[in-house]
Amino acid sequence: MEKETIIELKNIRKEFPGVVALDNVNMKIRASEVHALVGENGAGKSTLMNLITQNLEPDEGEILINGISTAKMGASYRDVLGYMPQQQGLYDRFSALEFLRYFAALKGLKAKESRKRIEELLEVVNLTEARNRKLGGFSGGMKQRVLLAQALLNEPQILILDEPTAGLDPKERIRIRNLVAKISMDKTVIIATHIVSDIEFIAGNIIMLDKGNIIKAGTPSELLKEIDGRVYEQFIEDSQVDEYNKKYMVSGLMSAANNIKIRFITDGNLEEGAVKVEPNLEDYYLIIEDESK
């Protein structure tokens, strides 16, 4: 059975001086699923996030939550929404516990209720033992996990994450990714990112933005079917790399024992020894970005 729509954007347009950030965007977001907004910097991802969270107002169009305009929902909208911003705007002198207590108070949670909720969330984000440490001494990944816990304090239906893994090392990126996958089992999650590999295995819906427009949308499997048979790998000499870069769209290079393994995209003109491989979303993103120029 198809999941119900929880968020709908209708004819959304947003302009800044000299720039159309979003141009007549229409989109439906299904419940209890991870939706990934993908695009390079300036594509419109953060603007879209800020419109959904009411940090900005659209110049045209409307946003509906369960069929009701957010403009008419008032304070009740905040009860269904959790937001983790891109910037790590933390208070370095606060401990993790103090920070979460502060935000629980801002969100109107009662003291007894918030104490229990904070303990649960510290466990979820694996920061129980660091609860009394000052945030100024936290790593980037630990700070992101505190921000994620903050976004979950009010048990929101909808969780908005703006570049949650930006600047993190691979281990912390995987940790955040796994947390998001777990959380999405009973929440609608929207992630804005330019790191395609972070959402390939957890997103049920990929929405690609470019210059304020949605250029592609679908499940990972639906999108990857479009480029089946176009991605190849081959072992080459170091001296051949420039030649392949000129001839093909190269999506990966890896040093091997005595040569280079190159991953490239083509519609034909294969070299001897090239082997067809399964495409991934990074391959797809390169193709769509190239075609949209």
Side-chain angles (χ1 to χ4, degrees):
M1 187 174 70
E2 187 172 337
K3 294 176 180 177
E4 66 175 320
T5 297
I6 189 169
I7 305 174
E8 185 174 3
L9 283 73
K10 289 186 173 182
N11 306 317
I12 294 294
R13 182 178 177 85
K14 184 66 182 178
E15 293 186 41
F16 299 104
V19 178
V20 178
L22 293 170
D23 186 14
N24 195 38
V25 169
N26 290 275
M27 182 171 66
K28 291 183 178 182
I29 299 293
R30 297 182 296 271
S32 303
E33 192 168 48
V34 177
H35 301 263
L37 302 176
V38 179
E40 62 185 13
N41 292 334
K45 304 185 305 297
S46 291
T47 300
L48 193 54
M49 291 283 198
N50 280 310
L51 289 170
I52 294 174
T53 56
Q54 291 187 323
N55 290 321
L56 292 172
E57 294 294 329
D59 297 325
E60 297 177 17
E62 64 176 343
I63 300 172
L64 308 175
I65 303 294
N66 294 320
I68 303 171
S69 171
T70 57
K72 298 178 180 177
M73 291 179 69
S76 65
Y77 181 40
R78 301 295 178 184
D79 294 336
V80 302
L81 191 71
Y83 178 50
M84 176 181 170
Q86 181 178 353
Q87 294 83 12
Q88 292 184 346
L90 301 179
Y91 303 97
D92 286 349
R93 294 184 180 181
F94 277 21
S95 68
L97 187 59
E98 289 168 336
F99 179 79
L100 293 175
R101 283 176 176 170
Y102 174 66
F103 270 87
L106 289 179
K107 293 185 180 193
L109 274 67
K110 295 179 181 178
K112 183 177 180 181
E113 175 188 357
S114 67
R115 282 195 294 271
K116 180 181 179 183
R117 182 64 177 157
I118 288 168
E119 293 303 322
E120 292 171 350
L121 290 172
L122 286 169
E123 183 72 26
V124 167
V125 300
N126 195 28
L127 287 175
T128 299
E129 293 184 5
R131 57 195 286 160
N132 293 313
R133 286 176 51 189
K134 300 299 182 184
L135 298 177
F138 275 24
S139 68
M142 292 170 75
K143 289 179 179 179
Q144 292 296 80
R145 282 184 271 146
V146 170
L147 283 173
L148 180 58
Q150 169 274 135
L152 292 167
L153 279 167
N154 58 324
E155 301 189 61
Q157 287 180 265
I158 302 164
L159 183 63
I160 312 289
L161 310 176
D162 195 355
E163 301 282 2
T165 61
L168 301 185
D169 62 41
K171 184 177 179 180
E172 283 290 358
R173 281 170 55 194
I174 291 169
R175 190 195 296 268
I176 293 288
R177 190 170 67 202
N178 290 343
L179 276 171
V180 172
K182 182 179 179 181
I183 290 163
S184 70
M185 292 179 184
D186 63 354
K187 297 186 189 305
T188 301
V189 180
I190 305 174
I191 300 177
T193 186
H194 64 277
I195 306 173
V196 181
S197 59
D198 279 349
I199 47 83
E200 182 159 12
F201 301 107
I202 64 171
N205 186 34
I206 310 291
I207 302 157
M208 294 192 170
L209 291 164
D210 183 61
K211 300 180 180 69
N213 294 282
I214 295 175
I215 54 174
K216 285 286 182 177
T219 67
S221 60
E222 287 171 345
L223 298 180
L224 293 179
K225 280 181 183 178
E226 296 179 16
I227 63 167
D228 189 40
R230 294 181 62 185
V231 184
Y232 292 81
E233 288 183 352
Q234 187 173 4
F235 288 98
I236 63 173
E237 301 294 329
D238 289 2
S239 59
Q240 295 178 280
V241 171
D242 286 343
E243 174 192 342
Y244 273 71
N245 273 318
K246 292 175 182 176
K247 193 172 183 180
Y248 304 108
M249 186 183 296
V250 174
S251 62
L253 290 170
M254 185 173 71
S255 296
N258 299 308
N259 48 26
I260 300 288
K261 184 165 77 170
I262 191 167
R263 185 182 182 95
F264 61 95
I265 299 158
T266 181
D267 287 322
N269 302 317
L270 287 175
E271 306 291 338
E272 184 178 351
V275 177
K276 184 173 72 172
V277 295
E278 290 291 323
N280 59 39
L281 280 179
E282 288 187 340
D283 300 318
Y284 185 86
Y285 182 58
L286 279 177
I287 293 171
I288 296 305
E289 281 288 293
D290 184 70
E291 290 177 350
S292 67
K293 290 178 181 178

